[in-house]
Amino acid sequence: MADIEVLEFDAAVRRRMGTYFGVGRGDSRLSVHVLCAVARHALHPATRVAAEHTLRAVVVITGDLSFTIVMDQPHAWDGSDVPALGYFDSLLGSEWWLLAAAAALSERVTIEMWSAGRGFGQDLVGIRPLSGPREFDSPKGSGTKVAFVFDPTHVGPDFVLPTDLKNLDLHGPHCSAPTGSGHVLIRDLRHGSAGQEVMHR
C-alpha cells in the first residue's frame, strides 16, 4: 500500500496522456487527438449539459499551439446565477473533463461562460486558476468559450495543430446517435484569409 501514488488530475493527465487522448507525449498524432477530443466533446457532451449532436460550436485555430472553442451551451446555474466551480476551483467542471484534460497540457487557458445577461471569466495556468471568476458584460444568449495555449514542456517540441481539417474524426467508434441540429465548424487562421474552414456534423 505504501507504493500507491495518488495523482492530482493535471498530473495524471500529463503522466498518462494515452488514457485521455489515446496517444502519449512525443506521438506525432497527439495534436490531432487533442483537437478531436475537445471538438468531439462539443458534439457528445455530458447528458446534464445537452443531448448529443445538439450543441453548435466553432473551433478557431490561431497558431500551431493555440485554439479556441466557443459553444452555445445552455447553462443551468442552480438558481444561484453563478457557475459552479470545478477542478481546482476553476470554471471547468467534470462535465467538461476532456476540455479540462486539454487545459492540463496548456500553459495558458482563458474560460468565459455567460447566460441570462451575466458572464464570468477566469484565467488559468494549466488547469489551476490565477484567481477566482470575474464578472463581465456578457453577450446575448448562453455559451462557453475556452482558449488554449499548449505548453511544449507537456505536449513535446513537435506538437503542431493539424492542417488537414477535413479528415478529423469528431464522432469516434462509440457514437451511435443520429446526426442532429448540432455541428462543429473548424476554422484555421494561421494563413489569414487563405485558411481552411470545415464543417463537421
Side-chain angles (χ1 to χ4, degrees), residues 1-7 15-16:
M1 297 295 286
D3 294 332
I4 295 176
E5 182 180 8
V6 179
L7 297 175
R15 184 177 295 186
R16 304 189 182 104

Side-chain angles (χ1 to χ4, degrees), residues 108-169:
R108 297 194 311 276
V109 178
T110 301
I111 308 168
E112 294 180 349
M113 296 181 171
W114 60 92
S115 182
R118 298 190 74 188
F120 295 87
Q122 193 174 45
D123 297 316
L124 316 177
V125 173
I127 198 172
R128 297 180 183 249
L130 292 173
S131 61
R134 63 184 182 279
E135 194 161 1
F136 67 91
D137 293 332
S138 74
K140 293 181 180 179
S142 182
T144 296
K145 177 180 179 179
V146 187
F148 304 91
V149 179
F150 293 96
D151 189 335
T153 62
H154 299 322
V155 297
D158 299 323
F159 183 99
V160 176
L161 288 165
T163 56
D164 179 6
L165 306 182
K166 294 181 180 178
N167 295 309
L168 300 176
D169 178 9

Side-chain angles (χ1 to χ4, degrees), residues 63-80:
D64 288 339
L65 291 171
S66 59
F67 73 87
T68 298
I69 184 167
V70 183
M71 302 169 286
D72 62 344
Q73 178 186 356
H75 288 289
W77 290 343
D78 300 324
S80 63

